[in-house]
């Protein structure tokens, strides 16, 4: 890629700027010397390519330590080039669009949501570069400090904006390095992301600008220091401090991880049966589909029962019929008013309750079902995505209503104000589930379990808060997290692996194991170290019906990949983890402080620009 630009400006001896020039002329001359550096596009796209390769499906995790090095060179440039932020935004889009391509598989209407989310997330890249450049060049903050603070602050706010999207944190690329990722129980995955960015900054400082010149990503100029003229060159001492700091933090992370792994003295917990159907999710199910789904899950449940599980878990929304609940003494007319599509008799008899109890009785185990929960109130009907606990002796004991709903997948934001937004969902106007408002603790025998539904396990602050709230409520430990998911929307993509990776980090952050029952897979039990445990048995119903031998592992021995898209029952013993987590105790203070620092950079720049504008106005008036 060529990068023909103007020569770096030289200062002529015995020549000074004339004081007769107007402010406009000075600005015009300064702008005329701004280089048109096409190499910025190459640097940005190189970072995008390295970042994409770091995550699934390629999963080349070590590249995560190098991914931001090219982008660091853009930050170090002394002069902002023409179209620089446009190039960085395009690089961000070049990463997010292919990374999130699995979103389009849900429904044709999801193409719009896929592109919209990708283009929104791409905005974080130029914001990161801008924040870092302001801190480095105008506030004289070292690159080693500015870039980790800006990156972590943006990762943190990304978990809240537009209901949050905490997928593909930089730290997630390191999930296979078990010892390294144990520091997540200190400040969440954000701490590892910060260390990785700091190491990238140190490497960027070590690499001379001539390296980028040889790659045709820097301007070709004459003179031995021509390349350095465009780039901020840190003092040798600062560069050495950066290298030493990166090495020390990396070694400290490994040392801490080794200590924490050695402390993992797990206790025997509940035996769980994870029921994994293989049904592609669709907006309009085919006739008879509900019966097939129900029968398949019942057959797999009967297989799990032979291994005497304490808890059997069905995935999200796999029980075909809703649970009907009437809040108060409502008449038939009131029921027809709030739920015109339902017969009032169904609200009175609630046929699902007896079916749920009969399955639990036959299983001789507690069951947690993923299903719809409908509550008729005097003025409305609430429709929840719920996890329902059923005891074989007592029937339905409780339910948890999903708190963190997926925009356009489970509700339409601002639907009453902007009804046209319903075009971006396959369900149309009027669709929308009701948000739950609190976490629940299900008590099964002597164990306390906290249910999560679908993508809730991808939100760090949500899971941390639910565990902390549950611990305070029961004045004890949460023994296990239960995740019920339907990943049947994204069959054949890397979404299932990436979803599992986020769950692994939640287990380390809270030092709490998790049992995941996932339609189409990947169902698994993850221990407090973030490791996926091999099941006691892995039963493949499809192989059984075909007369083939059963797998001996939950991974394909030839490819090493998890078995997916199979009707299966996994029986796994949950290892209880009695270690405490500082992250649960003190929360997101580290990431929040990075965000506050980033906001202060923005505020400082706004004040500086305001002063310049006032000075310019005074000079013009004079």
């Amino acid at each position: 890629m060529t990068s023909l630009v103007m020569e770096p400006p030289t200062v002529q001896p015995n020549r000074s700027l004339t004081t007769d020039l107007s402010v406009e002329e000075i600005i015009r001359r300064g702008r005329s010397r701004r280089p048109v550096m096409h190499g910025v596009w190459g640097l940005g796209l190189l970072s995008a390519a390295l970042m994409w390769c770091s995550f699934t499906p390629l999963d080349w995790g070590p590249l995560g330590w190098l991914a931001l090095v090219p982008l660091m060179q853009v930050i170090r440039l002394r002069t902002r080039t023409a179209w620089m932020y446009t190039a960085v935004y395009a690089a961000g889009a070049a990463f997010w669009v292919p990374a999130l391509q699995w979103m389009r598989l849900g429904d044709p209407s999801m193409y719009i949501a896929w592109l919209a989310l990708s283009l929104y997330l791409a905005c974080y890249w130029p914001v990161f570069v801008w924040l870092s450049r302001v801190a480095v060049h105008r506030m004289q903050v070292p690159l080693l400090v500015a870039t980790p603070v800006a990156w972590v602050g943006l990762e943190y706010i990304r978990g809240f904006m537009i209901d949050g999207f905490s997928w593909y944190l930089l730290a997630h690329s390191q999930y296979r390095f078990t010892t390294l990722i144990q520091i997540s129980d200190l400040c969440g995955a954000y701490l590892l992301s910060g260390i990785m960015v700091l190491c990238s900054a140190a490497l960027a400082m070590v690499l001379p600008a001539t390296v980028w010149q040889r790659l045709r990503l820097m301007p070709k100029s004459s003179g031995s220091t021509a390349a350095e003229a465009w780039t901020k060159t840190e003092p040798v001492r600062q560069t050495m401090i950066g290298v030493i700091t990166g090495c020390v933090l990396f070694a400290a992370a490994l040392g801490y991880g080794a200590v924490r792994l050695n402390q993992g003295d797990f206790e025997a917990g509940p035996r769980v049966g994870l029921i994994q159907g293989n049904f592609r999710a669709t907006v309009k199910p085919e006739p008879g589909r509900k019966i097939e789904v129900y029968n398949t899950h019942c057959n797999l449940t009967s297989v799990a029962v032979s291994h005497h599980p304490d808890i059997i878990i069905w995935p999200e929304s796999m029980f075909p019929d809703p649970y009907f609940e009437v809040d108060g003494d409502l008449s038939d007319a009131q029921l027809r008013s709030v739920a015109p599509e339902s017969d009032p008799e169904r609200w009175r008899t609630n046929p699902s309750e007896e079916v749920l109890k009969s399955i639990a009785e036959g299983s001789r185990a507690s069951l947690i079902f993923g299903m719809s929960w409908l509550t008729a109130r005097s003025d409305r009907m609430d429709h929840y995505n719920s996890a329902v606990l059923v005891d074989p002796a007592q029937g339905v004991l409780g339910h948890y209503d999903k708190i963190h709903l997926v925009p356009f997948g489970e509700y339409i934001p601002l639907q009453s104000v902007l009804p046209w937004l319903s075009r971006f969902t396959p369900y149309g106007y009027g669709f929308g589930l009701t948000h739950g408002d609190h976490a629940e603790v299900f008590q099964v025998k002597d164990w306390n379990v906290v249910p999560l539904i679908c993508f809730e396990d991808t939100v760090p602050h949500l899971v941390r808060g639910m565990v902390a709230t549950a611990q305070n409520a029961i004045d004890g430990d949460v023994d296990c997290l239960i995740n019920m998911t339907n990943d049947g929307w994204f069959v054949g993509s890397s979404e299932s692996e990436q979803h599992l990776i986020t769950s692994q980090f939640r287990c380390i952050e809270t030092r709490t194991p998790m049992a995941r029952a996932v339609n189409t897979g990947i169902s698994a039990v993850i221990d407090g170290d973030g490791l996926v445990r091999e099941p006691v048995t892995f039963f493949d119903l499809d192989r059984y019906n075909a007369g083939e031998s059963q797998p001996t592992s939950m991974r394909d021995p030839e490819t090493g990949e998890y078995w997916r898209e199979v009707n299966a029952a996994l029986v796994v013993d949950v290892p209880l983890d009695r270690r405490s987590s500082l992250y649960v105790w003190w929360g997101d203070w580290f990431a929040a402080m990075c965000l506050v620092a980033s906001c202060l950079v923005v505020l400082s720049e706004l004040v500086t620009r305001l002063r310049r504008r006032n000075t310019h106005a005074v000079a013009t008036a004079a």
Side-chain angles (χ1 to χ4, degrees):
M1 179 179 295
T2 60
S3 53
L4 186 60
V5 299
M6 294 179 59
E7 294 293 327
T10 58
V11 178
Q12 299 294 332
N14 302 321
R15 180 177 179 181
S16 59
L17 292 173
T18 176
T19 58
D20 295 334
L21 293 177
S22 66
V23 174
E24 290 84 353
E25 179 64 15
I26 294 173
I27 294 174
R28 187 192 66 77
R29 291 191 178 187
R31 287 178 175 173
S32 68
R33 295 184 177 187
R34 180 179 298 167
V36 182
M37 186 178 177
H38 302 294
V40 169
W41 291 83
L43 290 167
L45 293 175
L46 180 57
S47 275
L50 291 171
M51 186 77 79
W52 185 81
C53 292
S54 302
F55 294 96
T56 55
L58 288 188
D59 207 10
W60 296 346
L63 292 181
W65 295 85
L66 305 175
L68 294 180
V69 173
L71 212 56
M72 295 288 180
Q73 187 64 33
V74 178
I75 295 170
R76 295 175 71 211
L77 290 176
R78 294 183 183 278
T79 305
R80 180 170 68 87
T81 69
W83 300 96
M84 184 174 75
Y85 291 111
T86 301
V88 175
Y89 176 78
F95 165 68
W96 282 110
V97 170
L100 299 181
Q101 61 84 26
W102 46 264
M103 287 184 60
R104 65 185 171 82
L105 301 176
D107 186 83
S109 64
M110 291 301 293
Y111 275 82
I112 299 175
W114 161 44
L115 294 175
L117 180 60
S118 299
L119 296 179
Y120 152 69
L121 293 170
C123 294
Y124 286 88
W125 281 45
V127 173
F128 164 66
V129 170
W130 181 83
L131 284 171
S132 301
R133 286 183 57 82
V134 170
V136 169
H137 295 283
R138 298 192 181 170
M139 303 176 68
Q140 300 304 308
V141 178
L143 188 74
L144 289 167
V145 177
T147 50
V149 168
W151 187 269
V152 171
L154 292 174
E155 279 194 343
Y156 181 59
I157 194 63
R158 177 154 62 86
F160 293 89
M161 296 293 290
I162 314 181
D163 267 2
F165 190 80
S166 295
W167 293 63
Y168 299 94
L169 301 185
L170 186 59
H172 292 170
S173 64
Q174 306 303 300
Y175 77 97
R176 289 186 296 171
F177 307 105
T178 308
T179 303
L180 183 65
I181 63 178
Q182 298 306 308
I183 60 171
S184 298
D185 72 348
L186 294 176
C187 302
Y190 304 113
L191 180 57
L192 179 55
S193 289
I195 293 175
M196 294 177 68
V197 178
L198 184 145
C199 290
S200 294
L203 183 56
M205 292 164 59
V206 170
L207 293 177
T210 52
V211 171
W212 306 105
Q213 194 178 57
R214 293 191 189 100
L215 294 175
R216 304 172 67 85
L217 297 177
M218 284 287 290
K220 289 183 176 181
S221 306
S222 59
S224 61
T225 61
E228 284 79 359
W230 289 114
T231 307
K232 180 179 178 64
T233 304
E234 295 79 6
V236 174
R237 180 183 176 186
Q238 191 176 118
T239 301
M240 292 301 298
I241 290 175
V243 173
I244 294 173
T245 302
C247 293
V248 168
L249 289 177
F250 182 78
L254 289 177
Y256 178 82
V259 171
R260 291 298 270 170
L261 288 174
N262 191 53
Q263 295 173 344
D265 186 16
F266 300 115
E267 303 175 12
R271 172 167 287 191
V272 297
L274 307 176
I275 309 305
Q276 175 182 301
N278 181 30
F279 296 94
R280 183 184 291 271
T282 58
V283 176
K284 298 179 179 180
E286 301 174 0
R289 178 76 174 274
K290 285 186 176 182
I291 297 176
E292 181 185 0
V293 170
Y294 176 76
N295 289 338
T296 298
H297 283 75
C298 285
N299 291 336
L300 292 170
T301 298
S302 65
V303 173
V305 166
S306 63
H307 295 274
H308 310 291
D310 300 293
I311 310 171
I312 297 176
I313 307 166
W314 285 25
E316 174 193 20
S317 69
M318 287 299 106
F319 189 82
D321 294 322
Y323 191 96
F324 293 90
E325 177 189 48
V326 179
D327 183 24
D329 186 15
L330 303 183
S331 65
D332 287 358
Q334 288 175 303
L335 289 174
R336 291 191 183 94
S337 175
V338 298
E341 297 181 359
S342 301
D343 185 348
E345 184 63 22
R346 298 196 70 186
W347 291 94
R348 306 294 183 198
T349 59
N350 190 19
S352 294
E353 184 168 18
E354 286 301 318
V355 176
L356 294 171
K357 185 177 180 181
S358 66
I359 297 174
E361 288 177 343
S363 304
R364 302 184 300 278
S366 296
L367 277 92
I368 301 178
F369 292 91
M371 61 186 298
S372 295
W373 185 287
L374 306 180
T375 301
R377 309 186 190 278
S378 58
D379 58 341
R380 67 183 189 278
M381 182 190 75
D382 289 331
H383 182 183
Y384 299 100
N385 184 358
S386 300
V388 181
L389 173 65
V390 185
D391 181 80
Q394 304 175 63
V396 176
L397 293 182
H399 66 102
Y400 162 71
D401 304 321
K402 187 180 181 184
I403 297 173
H404 191 271
L405 300 180
V406 178
F408 300 102
E410 294 177 313
Y411 81 104
I412 303 175
L414 304 175
Q415 182 174 201
S416 59
V417 180
L418 303 173
W420 54 268
L421 287 175
S422 60
R423 299 174 184 174
F424 299 106
T425 177
Y427 300 102
Y429 183 78
F431 165 78
L433 301 181
T434 308
H435 288 265
D437 55 14
H438 62 278
E440 290 283 350
V441 180
F442 290 166
Q443 186 168 4
V444 181
K445 297 183 179 178
D446 296 328
W447 301 295
N448 296 303
V449 302
V450 173
L452 308 165
I453 299 176
C454 197
F455 288 169
E456 288 186 323
D457 62 346
T458 69
V459 187
H461 59 269
L462 175 68
V463 178
R464 187 206 70 81
M466 293 175 74
V467 171
T469 301
Q471 288 178 345
N472 292 332
I474 62 179
D475 193 22
D477 293 328
V478 173
D479 295 301
C480 185
L481 298 168
I482 302 292
N483 178 241
M484 317 164 74
T485 292
N486 182 3
D487 279 345
W489 299 97
F490 315 110
V491 172
S493 72
S494 62
E495 182 273 343
S496 56
E497 286 95 340
Q498 199 62 42
H499 194 177
L500 177 65
I501 289 168
T502 63
S503 296
Q504 292 174 258
F505 275 86
R506 300 298 85 79
C507 293
I508 299 171
E509 291 167 352
T510 61
R511 292 300 175 189
T512 306
M514 181 188 298
R516 305 180 74 240
V518 184
N519 176 41
T520 71
I522 304 166
S523 300
V525 165
I526 308 167
D527 65 23
D529 288 333
L531 295 175
V532 175
R533 291 295 184 109
E534 275 290 338
V536 174
T537 185
F538 184 97
F539 178 83
D540 186 333
L541 182 61
D542 302 323
R543 285 174 176 261
Y544 176 81
N545 290 334
E548 301 176 3
S549 59
Q550 291 296 317
T552 58
S553 169
M554 62 185 297
R555 291 178 181 268
D556 186 335
E558 296 182 1
T559 64
E561 297 182 357
Y562 294 105
W563 293 111
R564 295 180 301 168
E565 300 168 34
V566 295
N567 292 297
L570 293 75
V571 178
V572 195
D573 294 324
V574 176
L576 302 183
D577 194 336
R578 298 310 180 194
R579 291 172 294 179
S580 59
S581 165
L582 288 176
Y583 179 64
V584 171
W585 181 53
W586 62 25
D588 286 307
W589 70 269
F590 170 70
M593 290 301 293
C594 290
L595 177 60
V596 170
S598 299
C599 291
L600 291 177
V601 171
V602 175
L603 181 61
S604 173
E605 180 66 6
L606 291 176
V607 170
T608 300
R609 293 192 178 193
L610 182 61
R611 288 176 177 174
R612 288 177 179 172
R613 181 177 299 177
N614 292 338
T615 302
H616 173 65
V618 171
T620 303

